[in-house]
Amino acid sequence: MRGPRAALALLLAAAIAPRPARPHPQCLDFKPPFRPPRGLAFCRRYSDFGCCDPRRDRALLQRFYHLSASLDERTYAACAGHLQDLLCQECSPYAAHLYDAEDPSTPVRTIPGLCQDYCMQVWQNCRSIFRSLSADPELIALENNMAKFCRYLSLEDTDYCFPHLLANQNLNQNLGLVTADAEGCLQLCLVEVANGLRNPVAMVHANDGTHRFFIAEQVGLVWTYLPDGSRLQKPFLNISEAVLTSPWEGDERGFLCIVFHPKFKFNGKVYVYYSVEVRYEERIRISEFRISPADMNALDHGSERIILEIEEPASNHNGGELLFGDDGYLYIFTGDGGMAGDPFGTFGNAQNKSALLGKVLRIDVNNNDRGPLYRIPPDNPFVSDPTARPEVYAYGVRNMWRCSFDRGDPRTKEGKGRLFCGDVGQNKYEEVDIVEKGKNYGWRAREGFSCYDKKLCTNSSLDDVLPIYAYPHKMGKSVTGGYVYRGCESPNLNGLYIFGDFMSGRLMSLKEDHATGQWQYSEICMGTGQTCMFPGLINNYYQYIISFAEDEAGELYFLSTGVPSATAPHGVVYKVVDTSRTAPPGKCQVEPSPVKVKSKRIPFVPKEKFIMKEPTAHPRLKSTTPRGGDPEPQTPRPPAVDGAGRAPGDRSRTASTAGPGGRAPGPGRGAEESGQRRRKKPPSDGAVRLMRRGRRGRARGRVEVFIHGQWGTVCDDGWGLPAAAVVCRQLGFPYAVRAAKKAEFGQGTSLRILLDDVQCSGQERTLLECSHADIGTHNCSHEEDAGVVCSREEVTHG
């Protein structure tokens, strides 16, 4: 028995061994550290990265002069170095830890936390400097007792004590770089900015110096938000009676975009893109509005002028983007007309340059108060082609959903003017493109890097533009294009193209390798551990990522919802934050121009909470982008949102029923293992049980459901926390901790797969009341068997 006992001892030793500290740089103002705009003269150790700018460095130097003036020559020679070290810990990137200031509600120490050996050395030779540094009566009372004095100055977390933290490799490795987990997933954090929105489809700014932002809902309302976060009660625009949409989850019609004219400050013009029905015919409409002369926070609803209308042959693939380029022209992004496979005409709408669908259009709406409502830019690529519409700027697109112009590097302007778009795929791949004048983006010959229509693909031009990145539907089924980050507050993100997927809830990024021209992929996760433990930050979001946005200062946001319906008020706007490094104090400060407000202000009240999540291992995703041929299928990482499963009603196909998503609490630990006892009477349809390792699970396991006299498994397509909540409640557990996927609790190979595409609101009594594919109909294998982890106690922490 000696062997097993020794093994058990080793396991126990490993269990109780202290874990290495997880780096959590934080300053005394509870913000992340930064790179000073120039070197520090006094606290030079922190010139590259820390918590002091030159102004604070000078203040510490003055304090050093003041304190050292009272030291005699001998004491100064022995103690001046220690005095400088102690003062400069305010500049350490770990200042909040050194001064026990991670929690804003606790008093800050007057002297940084010292390691015992260092404290004893200073106490023996220089104890007099402590009295000048601190007026703490408890510390002064212990001055003559070295052991108690140094115990008082010690830190509970000894990893952070000075000066040992300077040599702590775990704390200093990659300091100041974006935090990534073991699989390379970038860990970012969020700030909740707005909530209670009905499918927020767009957020824009007026570029007029007011730093207002305007959020559009799919139903046809646009709201004004002021720089203090408050919303005005009166809508900026309300055309909900004209907008064609419905409460159906996944309906792609509605109010889709709004953009301000580059000279809005002077001409007051705004352009909108929305679905409308005219004499039983569905159309997309591009209209112009003017600002109300009586209210700078409202449009004149009577000023609408219809710039362009295009007939929509189907209710999906409506496009929905409007942008103004640096050239002053209006760019319009249309879908291919809907249905599936672009079945219109010989080659489809997208390849037909005489059709306006499946295109990027460019028109000139400047100086249109007299004469035509728009003109054709003289350098449009097909103005001299009699077989093409002169509005066409680029073609061969399927359904571009969210595009953006790169502002360019803040210093060099590199990349300025590049036009990025996410183009939603058919049934295999999603893609990201850089759109250029006159180019063909391949649809319907190609989908991503792959041939879709083999005949067209064989005969397609070698000049067709391939995506900069494409990903398979195992990773997500409806791309939402984003932005290249060019803001001020998170300098480590500069140049990173951040985008997402509406269906899977996945946040993603691309970084250009200038040496090769390739775009390198990195997934984005919500920060675990202490990464997001800063005041006002959260680390979770609703799954259905509808859109991305920039504010006037260039900071990045995204808009998502838990229920993808135009009438469900579950939409939230999040600001993206990198806590690994921030900008120096004052660098990003803006002075908004005054706004005359005539409507009642509604203060913003955040509702989302920080969730304490421990790092978990995930399957690794490849980080390279294929340039030719098909991309290899990649094992998907569970979405950063823990729960809230996928929605089949996306922008890639005809609208279908999509179940409501749910909140996204993180995985918890210590789920209780006592479950409901099995009943002896025969189960009824919809009954569930958990199986684990061939035996009945109690609070965790593979989900098996009883339908029509037989037990079967559930496929994890669409599986999320709301569905897990239904299962856990059936089994007597009030809380669902996690929705498990990829046969985490084993494969039920002896059973049929009975349910697929399950979408729940979380309030249903059984899974059969949720939206799902026909019983027994599925497109998955037992490798995708779904599971749950339940608990009798709430394991999330706000």
Side-chain angles (χ1 to χ4, degrees), residues 13-31:
I16 63 175
R19 294 181 179 181
R22 289 198 184 95
H24 181 232
Q26 189 178 26
C27 301
L28 291 178
D29 60 0
F30 314 114
K31 296 179 181 178

Side-chain angles (χ1 to χ4, degrees), residues 16 71 192 257-258 260 336 366 373 390 509 514 579 661 674 706 723 727 766:
I16 63 175
L71 304 179
E192 182 187 1
C257 198
I258 179 172
F260 286 71
D336 66 7
N366 297 296
L373 292 172
S509 71
H514 295 288
T579 60
S674 58
F706 188 86
V727 171
T766 73

Side-chain angles (χ1 to χ4, degrees), residues 249 502-505 540-545 560-565 568 570-572 574 608 611 639-647 658-666 718-726 736-737 739 741 758-764 770:
E249 292 167 8
F502 174 81
M503 296 275 280
S504 66
N540 56 95
Y541 60 91
Y542 285 101
Q543 172 189 341
Y544 300 100
I545 301 172
S560 71
T561 184
V563 181
S565 163
H570 300 291
V572 181
Y574 305 94
E608 309 305 312
I611 296 174
V641 186
D642 307 302
R646 296 175 185 159
R663 269 287 282 108
W719 189 248
L721 199 69
V726 173
V737 178
K741 299 186 178 185
V758 177
Q759 294 285 320
C760 306
S761 68
Q763 304 303 314
E764 295 86 352
C770 303

Side-chain angles (χ1 to χ4, degrees), residues 505-554:
R506 194 184 297 272
L507 284 170
M508 299 172 274
S509 71
L510 298 173
K511 182 77 171 181
E512 185 178 16
D513 184 335
H514 295 288
T516 64
Q518 304 288 308
W519 290 81
Q520 304 299 320
Y521 173 88
S522 294
E523 189 157 351
I524 293 175
C525 301
M526 292 294 95
T528 56
Q530 293 184 313
T531 304
C532 298
M533 289 185 66
F534 291 85
L537 298 191
I538 58 174
N539 59 349
N540 56 95
Y541 60 91
Y542 285 101
Q543 172 189 341
Y544 300 100
I545 301 172
I546 302 173
S547 189
F548 285 79
E550 279 183 328
D551 65 16
E552 196 164 348

Side-chain angles (χ1 to χ4, degrees), residues 100 109 111-120 123 130 138-139 142-143 145-158 161:
D100 275 343
R109 300 166 63 117
I111 293 177
L114 304 181
C115 304
Q116 289 290 292
D117 54 348
Y118 177 78
C119 178
M120 291 177 181
W123 184 90
F130 290 108
E138 293 186 51
L139 181 66
L142 299 174
E143 188 177 37
N145 187 318
M146 182 179 70
K148 291 184 178 181
F149 184 85
C150 289
R151 195 178 305 122
Y152 186 81
L153 289 180
S154 65
L155 286 176
E156 183 176 341
D157 189 345
T158 56
C161 69

Side-chain angles (χ1 to χ4, degrees), residues 661-715:
R663 269 287 282 108
R669 293 175 294 165
E672 206 171 302
E673 292 292 332
S674 58
Q676 190 179 45
R677 299 180 67 181
R678 184 178 181 182
R679 298 181 178 181
K680 303 228 180 245
K681 65 180 182 180
S684 56
D685 278 358
V688 290
R689 67 187 183 189
L690 303 183
M691 299 299 293
R692 188 180 179 200
R693 297 173 184 169
R695 302 174 61 183
R696 288 290 296 272
R698 292 186 176 179
R700 61 181 65 201
R702 180 180 64 251
V703 174
E704 295 182 0
V705 60
F706 188 86
I707 304 175
H708 300 338
Q710 62 178 319
W711 288 98
T713 62
V714 181
C715 185

